[in-house]
Amino acid sequence: MLIPHPLLGLRDAQEFVYMGDAALIGRPDGGDIATLHNYLYLRDNPAGEHRELWYHEQGDRSWLVVTRNTATHEILGAELARDVARAKGRSK
Amino acid sequence: MTRIAGGLIDRNTTLNFTFDGKGYTAHPGDTLASALLAADVRLMGRSFKYHRPRGVMTAGSEEPNALMQVRTGGRQEPNTRATVAEVYDGLEAQSQNRWPSLAFDALGINDRFHSFFAAGFYYKTFMWPRKFWEAVYEPIIRRAAGLGRLTREADPDAYDKGFLHADLLVIGAGPAGLMAALTAGRAGLRVILADEDFLAGGRLNAEAGSVADQGSADWARATVAELAALPTVRLMSRTTVFGVFDHGIYGAVERVSDHLAAPVAGQVRQTLWRIYAPHAVMATGAIERPIAFDNNDRPGVMLAGALRAYANRWAVVPGQRVAIFTNNDSGLASALDLQAKGVDVVAVIDSREGGELLPGIRHLRGAHVVDTSGRLGLTGITIDMKGRRETLAVDALGVSGGWNPNLGLMQQHRARPDWNDQIAAFTPARGPKGLMAVGAAAGEFSTLGALRSGAEAARAVAEALGRQAPYALPKAEDQAYRIAPLWAVPGASRAWVDQQNDVTVKDVKLSHQEAFTDVEHLKRYTTLGMATDQGKTGNLLGAAVMAELTGQSIEATGQTTYRPPFTPVSLGVLGGRSQGRDFKPFRHTPSHHWAAEQGAVFVEVGMWLRTQWLPRKGETEWRQSVDREVLATRKSVGICDVTTLGKIDIQGTDAGAFLDRVYANTFSTLAVGKCRYGLMLREDGMVFDDGTTARLGPHEYVMTTTTANAVTVFRHLEYCRQCLWPDMDVQIISTTEAWAQYSVAGPNARKLLARLVDQDISDAALPYMGCAEVTIGGLRARIFRISFSGELAYEIAVPARYGDGLIRALVAAGEAFDAVVYGTEALGVMRVEKGHVAGNELNGTSTALNMGLGKMVSRKKDAIGVTLSGREALLAEDGLRLVGVKPVNPADAMKAGSHFLKQGAAAVAENDDGWLTSLVWSPHLGHYIALGYLRDGAKRMGEKIRVVNLLAGTDILAEIVSPHFIDPEGERLRG
């Protein structure tokens, strides 16, 4: 697979480490056990469009949010996870 | 000899080779199959199950029958298709799956008892007793039903991996592929033309047609010459594109040296290419399919197109009297080609009714071949003409049941192909983005149609890239292809569908009868298409027979899933250079060269090679060295390379706050110049990693991680920094390779270091858990007063390039104290003696509470994992706790991997009380000691339990003690 890195262009997926659902960005800081449990364990597993975290470990160390169709492997876009996190209102 | 005139072989050179020990000759350009046919050898193998005599069936990579063992020694290779193996001088080939000889095979008896060996026979017969499955039945079946044998010797050759990029990848160098490459190449596109054959041209070499007013093979030669001269075109012959992967990535194997006795010095045997191409054309041609009729598998029965190819390309006719059995026009063209070559074409048996008759040939319409004769080779055929039977004496029969577009690559992404009634075959549909089918692979069976579709595809690709690619089509044959489907001729005996796996029409019927009607079930029940040829010739025939039985259309019956590889790929080329010593890279520590000079024994720790112990003269057993290193360290001083621990520099105004969130304990309150042990959790509350983190300045920390987790901890920190708290002012960088770091431990550690360090390192200047930036002879260094061994200990770090100098300086300065250098074994002994957790305890399913470190988890703040570590079950009072274990009788040797049991409890899983995690011999105490997780362990100090290892057969009475075997009050490390 090729991942369109927003800064570096098309990069081979072998350079990346996959982590999973980008919903992990929405960590409920300071949440109770039930909230953190839902955050950590209850994930969607769609056959189709999926936003997921990839880490450019053998590259510039950027965490990316890649939008991928899990049924076809088509990649619809990639953003810096930091930008996605900020857009969700995360800061410090 | 049945060589005729012509052919694309070099008759000026003669090559010698052997088959089953007998000598034969060949010419450059010959395959093993063509050379054997030229020598009138028709019997080339025995079938998989029935051990039926078999000959060559095809002239290409789809061959199911003519599989041979080629070469000897370490290069011996089983299941080589004789139809694609090039002959080199000295080649040695052996037939397979026969004993004692190919002509007389003892297991040919299987054929006599064929009714017992129908599909499903094994499943039904070899069921009881169950313990016979692996011990008795499987070895016997495997020996009887077999292919070639692997050599047990190491492969002497090298294999490479490589990467290529192109605007357009053209797969196949037949008319469509050549025209696509030519059109794109002339337009200046970067083109790769990959062809599995050693001679470009595809069917242009196999048929006696003309292109651009010259022989079709001549046109192919001229086109290749022009392509070779184009600067942006790369021609890759002997290169099979075997897989289509995501986003325009293709896998290909180039057989660099398979056509030679051995690779030329410096050359590899094969290369695995990863080809990146946003556009590709699949010009893979079509594969002719057989018709099923009784005894259609005898040596001499071939595909009609293969007969034609052997005659035109290799100037070989595999018989004196030839017949053709066809349901389509290509069979007629084959007959005409053969006749033009002077071959005696006895008859053309055409299953179609009416229509024109071929001139000058006995052309029978509405006729079928219903049986054949000849045990080791075809001697005759029986034909049926509307009830009238006739037997013809022939020694070769060409069969054409039509042509299947070779669409495997296109369907590897699971799209189902479309059915095309016009050609009675599937055509490719909806393949991966960027890949398009052209020529016969797309169902364009005329030469001109193939040329046009190739050129048109290249023009479209050029346009997509903003270029013009005009083309002019050469003059070529453009005949319509007419076929009237005929799949299986009814008969009383056996008619083969899949020759390699011995699947007959009867087996398909049995599969239907037993309700395995889906093609995927049919495949698994009968093994249709599961052999090394993956059913390239037989799959559709099998599906068609099933369709007739179910009354469904072939389209609805469908095809099984296509998967890579297209043809078999050797494990050697997939492994490439990653074997033996080069399986993975090694990382050497800064003291490696010094340690190697001393004769150190090394151990792999991840990619690192670390000193395991350093034997001294006279030490013959590892324990002698390790015991000495431990005792000498505890008595005076020892030195150990700890560079492999992960080191991460953390800087920024939020560095302290950041650490508070990634560690379970608090770091923002740590004073500058101090170190603290840190416990890092995963979000689920399990311990992730541990290590010491030092504060070098108000906004500057240096974290250490375990060797094993150096990479994953860094990845985790980047995740926290970028994804969770993107605005924190914190920067991190790994400095594991930047600093060489040594532990200096033991009562004389300070005295030793004082000889090297320029500054005061007295207890007052550098107390326990202190750190400082110092110099060694002016060279900048860092010193940390931390201890893993439980002794007065320091870690001293210098820039990595001075690491070799520092180990030598430490050893020299240590001479006055009888200092030792110790390895990872002694390190492990001392940490167990001190009760420190390490990898065995940090097993991913243990909490801080399990480790006896529950108090370190601060509940005053939110840090990763803290909340979920508070889940009820994880806080159970009687949960596992880290304990020390020592044998009641000091002479007893506990075993690693043992479990704990109460006295008197049966050794069953329900009574499991925990397990032993780390076991060492303590030279200090003179007996084995261990750490372990014991249920409710904190309350069981002094209890006697059993340490049981059922595998080793040990059951030892032991006492539960504090994990701190040595200096529990920590007086030594504060000394």
Coordinates of all heavy atoms in Angstrom, one line a residue, chain A residues 1-2 12 14 17 19 24-25 27 29-33 36-37 39-41 53 55 57 61-63 73-75 81-82 85-86 90-92, chain B residues 246-247 249 274 276 433 654 661 683-684 711 714-715 718-719 721-729 732-733 862-865 867-868 870-872:
Chain A
M1 N 0.8 -1.2 0.0 CA 0.0 0.0 0.0 C 0.9 1.3 0.0 O 2.0 1.2 0.5 CB -0.9 0.0 1.3 CG -1.9 -1.1 1.2 SD -3.4 -0.7 2.3 CE -2.6 -0.5 3.9
L2 N 0.3 2.3 -0.5 CA 1.0 3.6 -0.5 C 0.2 4.6 0.3 O -1.0 4.6 0.1 CB 1.2 4.1 -1.9 CG 2.1 3.3 -2.9 CD1 2.0 3.8 -4.3 CD2 3.5 3.3 -2.4
D12 N 5.6 4.3 1.0 CA 5.3 2.9 1.1 C 4.8 2.6 2.6 O 5.4 3.0 3.5 CB 6.5 2.0 0.8 CG 6.1 0.5 0.5 OD1 5.4 -0.1 1.4 OD2 6.3 0.1 -0.6
Q14 N 5.1 0.1 4.3 CA 6.1 -0.6 5.1 C 6.9 0.3 6.0 O 7.5 -0.1 7.0 CB 7.1 -1.3 4.2 CG 6.5 -2.5 3.5 CD 7.5 -3.4 2.9 OE1 8.7 -3.1 2.7 NE2 7.1 -4.6 2.5
V17 N 3.9 2.2 11.0 CA 3.4 1.3 12.0 C 1.9 1.6 12.1 O 1.5 2.8 12.2 CB 4.1 1.4 13.3 CG1 3.4 0.6 14.4 CG2 5.6 1.0 13.2
M19 N -1.7 1.6 14.0 CA -2.2 1.4 15.4 C -3.7 1.2 15.5 O -4.2 0.5 16.4 CB -1.9 2.7 16.2 CG -2.4 2.6 17.6 SD -1.3 3.2 18.8 CE -2.3 4.6 19.3
L24 N -9.1 6.9 18.9 CA -8.2 6.9 20.1 C -7.8 8.3 20.5 O -7.4 8.6 21.6 CB -7.0 6.0 19.9 CG -7.2 4.5 20.0 CD1 -6.0 3.7 19.5 CD2 -7.5 4.2 21.5
I25 N -7.8 9.2 19.5 CA -7.4 10.6 19.7 C -8.3 11.2 20.8 O -7.9 12.0 21.6 CB -7.5 11.4 18.4 CG1 -6.3 11.0 17.5 CG2 -7.4 12.9 18.7 CD1 -6.3 11.6 16.1
R27 N -9.3 10.8 23.7 CA -9.1 10.3 25.1 C -9.9 11.1 26.1 O -9.7 12.3 26.1 CB -7.6 10.2 25.4 CG -7.4 9.6 26.8 CD -5.9 9.6 27.1 NE -5.7 8.8 28.4 CZ -5.7 9.3 29.6 NH1 -5.8 10.6 29.8 NH2 -5.5 8.5 30.6
D29 N -9.7 12.5 28.9 CA -8.8 12.8 30.0 C -9.5 13.0 31.3 O -10.5 13.7 31.4 CB -8.0 14.1 29.7 CG -7.0 13.9 28.6 OD1 -6.8 12.8 28.1 OD2 -6.5 15.0 28.1
G30 N -9.1 12.4 32.4 CA -9.7 12.5 33.7 C -11.0 11.8 33.8 O -11.7 11.9 34.9
G31 N -11.4 11.0 32.8 CA -12.6 10.3 32.9 C -12.6 9.1 33.9 O -11.6 8.7 34.4
D32 N -13.8 8.6 34.3 CA -13.9 7.5 35.2 C -13.7 6.2 34.5 O -13.5 6.2 33.3 CB -15.2 7.6 36.0 CG -16.4 7.4 35.1 OD1 -16.2 7.1 33.9 OD2 -17.5 7.6 35.6
I33 N -13.8 5.1 35.3 CA -13.4 3.8 34.8 C -14.4 3.5 33.6 O -13.9 3.0 32.5 CB -13.5 2.7 35.9 CG1 -12.3 2.9 36.8 CG2 -13.6 1.3 35.3 CD1 -12.3 1.9 38.0
L36 N -13.4 5.5 30.4 CA -12.2 5.0 29.8 C -12.3 3.6 29.3 O -11.7 3.3 28.2 CB -11.0 5.1 30.8 CG -10.3 6.5 30.7 CD1 -9.9 7.0 32.1 CD2 -9.2 6.5 29.7
H37 N -13.1 2.8 29.9 CA -13.4 1.5 29.4 C -14.0 1.5 28.0 O -13.6 0.9 27.1 CB -14.2 0.7 30.4 CG -14.6 -0.6 29.8 ND1 -15.7 -0.8 29.0 CD2 -14.0 -1.9 30.0 CE1 -15.8 -2.1 28.7 NE2 -14.8 -2.8 29.3
Y39 N -13.9 4.0 25.9 CA -12.9 4.6 25.0 C -11.9 3.6 24.5 O -11.6 3.5 23.3 CB -12.2 5.7 25.8 CG -10.8 6.1 25.2 CD1 -10.7 6.9 24.0 CD2 -9.7 5.8 25.9 CE1 -9.5 7.2 23.5 CE2 -8.4 6.1 25.4 CZ -8.3 6.8 24.2 OH -7.1 7.2 23.7
L40 N -11.5 2.7 25.4 CA -10.4 1.8 25.1 C -10.9 0.6 24.4 O -10.2 0.1 23.5 CB -9.7 1.4 26.4 CG -8.4 0.6 26.2 CD1 -7.3 1.5 25.4 CD2 -7.8 0.1 27.5
Y41 N -12.0 0.1 24.7 CA -12.4 -1.2 24.2 C -13.6 -1.2 23.2 O -13.7 -2.1 22.4 CB -12.9 -2.2 25.4 CG -11.7 -2.5 26.3 CD1 -11.7 -2.0 27.6 CD2 -10.7 -3.4 25.9 CE1 -10.6 -2.3 28.4 CE2 -9.7 -3.7 26.7 CZ -9.6 -3.2 28.0 OH -8.6 -3.5 28.8
L53 N -5.1 5.4 12.7 CA -3.8 6.0 13.0 C -2.6 5.2 12.4 O -2.6 3.9 12.6 CB -3.6 6.1 14.5 CG -4.5 7.1 15.2 CD1 -4.5 6.9 16.7 CD2 -3.9 8.5 15.0
Y55 N 1.7 5.5 12.1 CA 2.9 6.2 12.6 C 4.1 6.0 11.6 O 4.4 4.9 11.3 CB 3.3 5.6 14.0 CG 4.5 6.2 14.6 CD1 4.7 7.6 14.7 CD2 5.5 5.4 15.1 CE1 5.9 8.1 15.3 CE2 6.7 5.9 15.7 CZ 6.8 7.2 15.8 OH 8.0 7.7 16.4
E57 N 7.2 5.6 11.4 CA 8.3 5.3 12.2 C 9.6 5.3 11.5 O 10.6 5.8 12.0 CB 8.1 3.9 12.9 CG 9.2 3.5 13.9 CD 8.6 2.6 15.0 OE1 8.7 1.4 14.8 OE2 8.2 3.1 16.0
R61 N 8.5 10.5 11.8 CA 7.8 10.3 13.1 C 6.5 11.0 13.3 O 6.0 11.2 14.4 CB 8.8 10.8 14.3 CG 10.0 9.9 14.3 CD 11.2 10.6 15.0 NE 10.8 11.5 16.1 CZ 11.7 12.4 16.6 NH1 12.9 12.5 16.2 NH2 11.3 13.2 17.6
S62 N 5.9 11.3 12.2 CA 4.5 11.9 12.3 C 3.5 10.8 12.5 O 3.6 9.7 11.9 CB 4.1 12.5 10.9 OG 4.8 13.7 10.8
W63 N 2.6 11.1 13.4 CA 1.4 10.2 13.5 C 0.4 10.8 12.5 O 0.1 12.0 12.5 CB 0.8 10.3 14.9 CG 1.5 9.3 15.8 CD1 2.5 9.5 16.6 CD2 1.1 7.9 16.0 NE1 2.9 8.4 17.3 CE2 2.0 7.4 16.9 CE3 0.2 7.1 15.4 CZ2 2.0 6.0 17.3 CZ3 0.1 5.7 15.8 CH2 1.0 5.2 16.8
H73 N -9.2 -1.3 0.4 CA -7.9 -0.7 0.7 C -7.7 0.6 0.0 O -6.5 1.2 0.0 CB -6.7 -1.6 0.3 CG -6.7 -2.8 1.2 ND1 -5.7 -3.8 1.2 CD2 -7.5 -3.2 2.2 CE1 -5.9 -4.7 2.1 NE2 -7.0 -4.4 2.7
E74 N -8.7 1.2 -0.6 CA -8.5 2.5 -1.2 C -8.2 3.5 -0.1 O -8.9 3.5 0.9 CB -9.7 2.9 -2.0 CG -9.5 4.2 -2.8 CD -10.8 4.6 -3.6 OE1 -11.8 4.0 -3.4 OE2 -10.7 5.7 -4.2
I75 N -7.3 4.4 -0.3 CA -7.0 5.4 0.6 C -7.5 6.8 0.2 O -7.2 7.2 -0.9 CB -5.5 5.5 0.9 CG1 -5.1 4.2 1.7 CG2 -5.1 6.7 1.7 CD1 -3.7 4.0 2.2
A81 N -2.0 13.8 12.5 CA -2.9 13.5 13.6 C -3.0 14.7 14.6 O -4.0 15.0 15.2 CB -2.4 12.3 14.4
R82 N -1.9 15.5 14.6 CA -1.8 16.7 15.5 C -2.9 17.7 15.0 O -3.6 18.3 15.9 CB -0.4 17.3 15.4 CG -0.2 18.4 16.4 CD 1.1 19.1 16.0 NE 2.3 18.3 16.3 CZ 3.0 18.2 17.4 NH1 2.6 19.0 18.4 NH2 4.0 17.5 17.5
A85 N -6.3 16.3 16.0 CA -6.5 16.5 17.4 C -6.9 17.9 17.8 O -7.8 18.2 18.5 CB -5.2 16.0 18.2
R86 N -6.2 18.9 17.2 CA -6.5 20.3 17.5 C -7.9 20.6 17.0 O -8.6 21.3 17.7 CB -5.4 21.2 16.8 CG -4.1 21.2 17.6 CD -3.2 22.2 16.9 NE -1.9 22.3 17.7 CZ -0.7 22.2 17.1 NH1 -0.6 22.1 15.8 NH2 0.4 22.3 17.9
R90 N -8.5 19.4 21.1 CA -7.5 19.0 22.1 C -6.4 20.0 22.1 O -6.0 20.6 21.1 CB -6.9 17.6 21.7 CG -8.0 16.5 21.6 CD -7.3 15.1 21.7 NE -6.8 14.9 23.0 CZ -7.4 14.3 24.0 NH1 -8.7 14.0 23.8 NH2 -6.8 14.1 25.2
S91 N -5.8 20.2 23.2 CA -4.7 21.2 23.3 C -3.6 20.6 24.2 O -2.6 20.0 23.8 CB -5.2 22.5 23.8 OG -4.2 23.4 24.0
K92 N -3.7 20.9 25.5 CA -2.7 20.4 26.4 C -3.1 19.3 27.4 O -4.3 19.3 27.7 CB -2.2 21.6 27.3 CG -1.3 22.6 26.5 CD -0.6 23.5 27.5 CE 0.5 24.3 26.7 NZ 1.4 25.0 27.7
Chain B
D246 N -1.8 -3.8 -3.5 CA -2.6 -2.5 -3.5 C -1.8 -1.3 -4.0 O -0.6 -1.2 -3.9 CB -2.9 -2.2 -2.0 CG -4.0 -3.2 -1.5 OD1 -5.0 -3.4 -2.2 OD2 -3.8 -3.7 -0.4
H247 N -2.5 -0.4 -4.6 CA -2.0 0.9 -5.0 C -0.9 0.8 -6.1 O 0.0 1.6 -6.0 CB -1.6 1.7 -3.8 CG -2.6 1.7 -2.7 ND1 -2.3 1.9 -1.4 CD2 -4.0 1.6 -2.8 CE1 -3.5 1.9 -0.7 NE2 -4.5 1.8 -1.6
I249 N 1.2 -1.7 -6.9 CA 2.5 -2.4 -6.5 C 2.4 -3.8 -7.0 O 1.4 -4.5 -6.8 CB 2.7 -2.3 -5.0 CG1 2.8 -0.9 -4.5 CG2 4.0 -3.1 -4.6 CD1 2.9 -0.7 -3.0
R274 N 9.9 -5.5 -6.6 CA 8.7 -4.8 -6.2 C 8.6 -3.7 -7.2 O 9.4 -2.8 -7.2 CB 8.8 -4.3 -4.8 CG 7.7 -3.5 -4.3 CD 8.0 -2.9 -2.9 NE 7.8 -3.9 -1.9 CZ 6.8 -3.9 -1.0 NH1 6.0 -2.8 -1.0 NH2 6.6 -4.8 -0.1
Y276 N 6.6 -0.5 -8.7 CA 5.6 0.5 -8.4 C 5.2 1.1 -9.8 O 6.0 1.7 -10.5 CB 6.2 1.7 -7.5 CG 6.6 1.2 -6.2 CD1 7.8 0.6 -6.0 CD2 5.8 1.4 -5.1 CE1 8.2 0.1 -4.7 CE2 6.2 1.0 -3.8 CZ 7.4 0.4 -3.6 OH 7.7 0.0 -2.4
K433 N -7.4 -0.7 -9.5 CA -7.3 0.6 -10.2 C -5.9 0.6 -10.9 O -4.9 0.3 -10.3 CB -7.3 1.7 -9.1 CG -7.8 3.0 -9.6 CD -8.0 3.9 -8.4 CE -8.1 5.4 -8.8 NZ -8.1 6.2 -7.6
D654 N 6.8 22.1 29.1 CA 5.8 21.2 29.6 C 6.4 19.8 29.9 O 5.6 18.8 30.1 CB 4.6 21.1 28.7 CG 3.8 22.4 28.6 OD1 3.6 23.0 29.7 OD2 3.4 22.7 27.5
R661 N 2.0 12.6 33.0 CA 0.9 12.0 32.3 C 1.2 10.6 31.7 O 0.4 9.8 31.5 CB 0.3 12.9 31.2 CG -0.3 14.1 31.8 CD -1.2 14.8 30.8 NE -1.4 16.1 31.3 CZ -1.9 17.1 30.5 NH1 -2.2 16.8 29.2 NH2 -2.1 18.3 30.9
E683 N -2.8 2.0 28.7 CA -4.0 2.6 29.1 C -4.9 1.6 29.8 O -5.8 2.0 30.6 CB -4.7 3.1 27.8 CG -5.9 4.0 28.0 CD -5.6 5.4 28.7 OE1 -5.4 5.4 29.9 OE2 -5.5 6.4 27.9
D684 N -4.7 0.3 29.5 CA -5.5 -0.7 30.2 C -5.1 -1.0 31.6 O -5.6 -1.9 32.3 CB -5.6 -2.0 29.4 CG -4.2 -2.7 29.3 OD1 -3.3 -2.2 29.8 OD2 -4.2 -3.8 28.6
V711 N 11.9 1.1 21.4 CA 11.2 1.6 20.2 C 9.8 1.9 20.5 O 9.2 2.9 20.2 CB 11.4 0.6 19.1 CG1 10.4 0.9 17.9 CG2 12.8 0.5 18.6
F714 N 9.2 5.0 22.8 CA 9.3 6.2 22.0 C 8.1 6.5 21.1 O 7.6 7.6 21.0 CB 10.6 6.1 21.1 CG 11.0 7.4 20.5 CD1 11.6 8.4 21.2 CD2 10.6 7.7 19.2 CE1 11.9 9.6 20.6 CE2 10.9 8.9 18.6 CZ 11.6 9.9 19.3
R715 N 7.6 5.4 20.5 CA 6.4 5.5 19.6 C 5.2 6.0 20.5 O 4.5 6.8 20.0 CB 6.1 4.1 19.0 CG 5.0 4.1 18.1 CD 4.7 2.6 17.7 NE 5.8 1.9 17.2 CZ 6.0 0.6 17.1 NH1 5.1 -0.2 17.6 NH2 7.1 0.1 16.6
E718 N 5.5 9.7 21.3 CA 5.2 10.5 20.2 C 3.6 10.5 20.0 O 3.0 11.6 19.7 CB 5.8 10.0 18.9 CG 7.3 10.3 18.7 CD 7.5 11.8 18.4 OE1 6.6 12.6 18.5 OE2 8.7 12.1 18.0
Y719 N 3.0 9.4 20.2 CA 1.6 9.3 20.1 C 0.9 10.3 21.2 O 0.0 11.1 20.8 CB 1.1 7.9 20.4 CG -0.3 7.7 20.7 CD1 -1.3 7.9 19.7 CD2 -0.7 7.4 22.0 CE1 -2.7 7.7 20.1 CE2 -2.0 7.2 22.4 CZ -3.0 7.4 21.4 OH -4.3 7.3 21.7
R721 N 2.2 12.8 22.6 CA 2.6 14.2 22.3 C 1.8 14.8 21.1 O 1.3 15.9 21.1 CB 4.1 14.2 22.0 CG 4.8 15.5 22.0 CD 6.3 15.2 21.8 NE 6.5 15.0 20.4 CZ 6.8 15.9 19.5 NH1 6.9 17.2 19.8 NH2 7.1 15.6 18.2
Q722 N 1.6 13.9 20.1 CA 1.0 14.5 18.8 C -0.5 14.3 18.8 O -1.3 15.2 18.4 CB 1.6 13.8 17.6 CG 3.0 14.0 17.4 CD 3.6 13.3 16.2 OE1 2.9 13.1 15.1 NE2 4.8 12.8 16.3
C723 N -1.0 13.1 19.3 CA -2.4 12.8 19.2 C -3.2 13.2 20.4 O -4.4 13.6 20.3 CB -2.6 11.3 19.0 SG -1.8 10.7 17.5
L724 N -2.7 13.2 21.6 CA -3.5 13.5 22.8 C -3.3 14.9 23.3 O -4.3 15.5 23.6 CB -3.1 12.5 23.9 CG -3.3 11.0 23.6 CD1 -2.9 10.1 24.8 CD2 -4.7 10.7 23.1
W725 N -2.1 15.4 23.3 CA -1.9 16.7 23.9 C -1.0 17.5 22.9 O 0.2 17.8 23.2 CB -1.2 16.6 25.3 CG -2.0 15.7 26.2 CD1 -3.4 15.8 26.5 CD2 -1.6 14.4 26.7 NE1 -3.8 14.8 27.3 CE2 -2.7 13.9 27.4 CE3 -0.4 13.7 26.7 CZ2 -2.6 12.7 28.1 CZ3 -0.3 12.5 27.4 CH2 -1.5 12.0 28.1
P726 N -1.6 17.9 21.8 CA -0.8 18.5 20.7 C -0.2 19.8 21.0 O 0.8 20.2 20.3 CB -1.8 18.6 19.5 CG -3.1 18.6 20.2 CD -3.0 17.8 21.4
D727 N -0.7 20.5 22.0 CA -0.1 21.9 22.2 C 0.9 21.9 23.4 O 1.3 22.9 23.8 CB -1.2 22.9 22.5 CG -2.0 23.1 21.2 OD1 -1.4 23.0 20.1 OD2 -3.2 23.4 21.3
M728 N 1.2 20.7 24.0 CA 2.2 20.7 25.0 C 3.5 21.1 24.5 O 3.9 20.6 23.4 CB 2.3 19.3 25.6 CG 1.4 19.1 26.8 SD 1.9 17.6 27.7 CE 1.1 17.9 29.3
D729 N 4.2 21.9 25.2 CA 5.6 22.3 24.7 C 6.5 21.2 25.2 O 7.1 21.3 26.3 CB 6.0 23.7 25.3 CG 7.4 24.1 24.9 OD1 7.9 23.5 23.9 OD2 8.0 24.8 25.7
I732 N 10.9 15.5 21.9 CA 11.6 14.3 22.3 C 12.5 13.8 21.2 O 12.2 14.0 20.0 CB 10.6 13.2 22.7 CG1 9.8 12.7 21.5 CG2 9.7 13.6 23.9 CD1 8.9 11.5 21.9
I733 N 13.6 13.2 21.6 CA 14.4 12.6 20.6 C 15.1 11.4 21.2 O 15.5 11.4 22.4 CB 15.4 13.6 20.0 CG1 16.1 13.0 18.8 CG2 16.5 14.0 21.0 CD1 16.8 14.0 17.9
D862 N -4.3 12.4 36.5 CA -4.7 11.5 35.5 C -3.4 11.2 34.6 O -2.9 12.1 34.0 CB -5.8 12.2 34.6 CG -6.1 11.3 33.4 OD1 -6.0 10.0 33.5 OD2 -6.5 11.8 32.3
A863 N -3.0 10.0 34.6 CA -1.9 9.5 33.7 C -2.4 8.3 33.0 O -3.4 7.7 33.4 CB -0.7 9.2 34.6
I864 N -1.7 8.0 31.9 CA -2.1 6.9 31.0 C -2.2 5.6 31.9 O -1.2 5.3 32.6 CB -1.1 6.7 29.9 CG1 -1.0 7.9 29.0 CG2 -1.4 5.4 29.1 CD1 -2.0 8.0 27.9
G865 N -3.3 5.0 31.9 CA -3.4 3.7 32.6 C -3.8 3.7 34.0 O -4.2 2.7 34.6
T867 N -6.4 5.2 35.6 CA -7.8 4.9 35.9 C -8.1 3.5 35.8 O -8.7 2.9 36.7 CB -8.7 5.8 35.0 OG1 -8.3 7.1 35.1 CG2 -10.1 5.6 35.3
L868 N -7.7 2.9 34.7 CA -8.2 1.5 34.4 C -7.4 0.5 35.3 O -7.8 -0.7 35.5 CB -8.1 1.1 32.9 CG -9.1 1.9 32.1 CD1 -9.0 1.4 30.6 CD2 -10.5 1.7 32.6
G870 N -7.3 0.8 38.2 CA -8.1 0.7 39.4 C -9.4 -0.1 39.3 O -10.3 -0.1 40.1
R871 N -9.5 -0.9 38.2 CA -10.7 -1.7 38.0 C -10.7 -2.8 39.2 O -9.7 -3.3 39.6 CB -10.7 -2.4 36.7 CG -11.1 -1.4 35.6 CD -11.1 -2.1 34.2 NE -9.7 -2.2 33.7 CZ -9.4 -2.9 32.6 NH1 -10.4 -3.4 31.9 NH2 -8.1 -3.0 32.2
E872 N -11.9 -3.1 39.6 CA -12.1 -3.9 40.8 C -11.3 -5.2 40.7 O -10.6 -5.6 41.7 CB -13.6 -4.3 40.8 CG -14.1 -4.7 42.2 CD -15.6 -5.0 42.2 OE1 -16.3 -4.5 41.4 OE2 -16.0 -5.7 43.1

